[in-house]
Amino acid sequence: MFDLDFSERIAAARSTFRDIRAVVDVDRLAAEIAELGEKAAAPDLWDDVDAAQKVTSALSHKQAELKRITELEQRLDDLEVLIELAREADDADSAAEAAEELAGIEKTLGDLEVQTLLDGEYDDRPAVVTIRSGAGGVDAADFAEMLQRMYLRWAEQHGYPATVMDTSYAEEAGIKSTTFQIDAPHAFGLLSVEAGTHRLVRMSPFGAAGKRQTSFAAVEVIPLMEETAEIEIPESDIRVDVFRSSGPGGQSVNTTDSAVRITHLPTGTVVSMQNEKSQIQNRAAAMRVLQSRLLLLQKEQEAATKKELAGTITASWGDQMRSYVLAPYQMVKDLRTEHEEGNPSKVFDGDLDAFIAAGIKWRKQKPTD
């Protein structure tokens, strides 16, 4: 005997789907796709490569969003047919298939529901993530590299393009800092809740055997802005240094001084870039990130509110937002949302969706100051 009474769960799923469809505004989304499609079909589209990439990227993201909605509606319709067939045939295998599909639909609905909460000014922008090792010496540098891999694996699993823009390697192991860009629908909105101090507790592979080590790393997330005249940076306000790109252990990646470091003298903001092949390309990429940072700084100062976007992150005791404990027990716990997972290996391999969803819901429910 098997249970085929999924009526309450399906009704709840249908209700949630209707709410999501209304928030997404499918008709508006379809109109935007049609407009972008016309632009993408223009014969002179690629005369301006940067503009063309923005059009095709926006079109791809919006098409993917509409596809998720339409496919989900079809899955709900198909599920009800499958349940009816299983009931008529008294088929246990079909019943098990229906239960599995319903669970999958509920998860997809949960993911989409979280996305509808992303209504911030910059939530739909690509994200620029910077990770810096903090207190903890070589363990902290190794931890920073573990976090970099974690976020890049998360992006890879979702099919989101990720580009490492700059990495400063530590002498013994790991990295001092890294900056990378993730381009996804609502990338900043999703990853902004990952900003803060992360703490790792483990048996150190670098110290004396049997001794636990606590180390810290800071994660900063900013939105990558469109190129805009909103922030003008006079040449007199910046210092540009060029240097040779380097890899682990100081080995040269290329034989030209193509890497660029730009210092904004009035604020002390520093941006380094070495991913591109030419000095000109690295300078352009660094200026865009610098412009994004300065625009956020300007808006924070104008609003005179708490730093909700990048914030000040000290990467030490007292202000950690998430703990990764590998010894004496296995646990990853977010100290803001109380969400926890008992398998740190999965989390470090990019299984972050539950933490991100919990963070977004927590932020939405948090009272404003």
Side-chain angles (χ1 to χ4, degrees), residues 132-136 196-198 215-219 312-317 319:
R132 299 183 180 89
S133 61
T197 298
H198 297 238
S215 53
F216 300 86
V219 175
T312 300
I313 304 165
T314 60
S316 60
W317 286 100
D319 63 344

Side-chain angles (χ1 to χ4, degrees), residues 168-231:
S168 174
Y169 292 92
E171 293 181 5
E172 186 173 343
I175 57 178
K176 296 178 183 177
S177 66
T178 183
T179 298
F180 50 92
Q181 175 183 333
I182 294 180
D183 187 10
H186 298 91
F188 174 69
L190 291 168
L191 290 174
S192 58
V193 295
E194 290 294 298
T197 298
H198 297 238
R199 179 180 69 143
L200 174 68
V201 181
R202 65 174 175 178
M203 308 299 289
S204 172
F206 305 102
K211 185 177 180 180
R212 273 188 297 160
Q213 174 72 31
T214 300
S215 53
F216 300 86
V219 175
E220 177 197 81
V221 185
I222 65 170
L224 186 64
M225 304 302 186
E226 294 278 5
E227 292 182 17
T228 173
E230 193 170 352
I231 286 288

Side-chain angles (χ1 to χ4, degrees), residues 317-350:
W317 286 100
D319 63 344
Q320 60 266 21
M321 48 77 80
R322 185 177 301 154
S323 290
Y324 305 76
V325 180
L326 306 185
Y329 55 89
Q330 301 271 310
M331 180 69 69
V332 180
K333 182 172 183 177
D334 193 295
L335 305 179
R336 307 160 305 173
T337 67
E338 300 297 318
H339 181 78
E340 59 185 42
E341 298 284 349
N343 188 341
S345 294
K346 283 184 62 179
V347 177
F348 279 122
D349 201 36

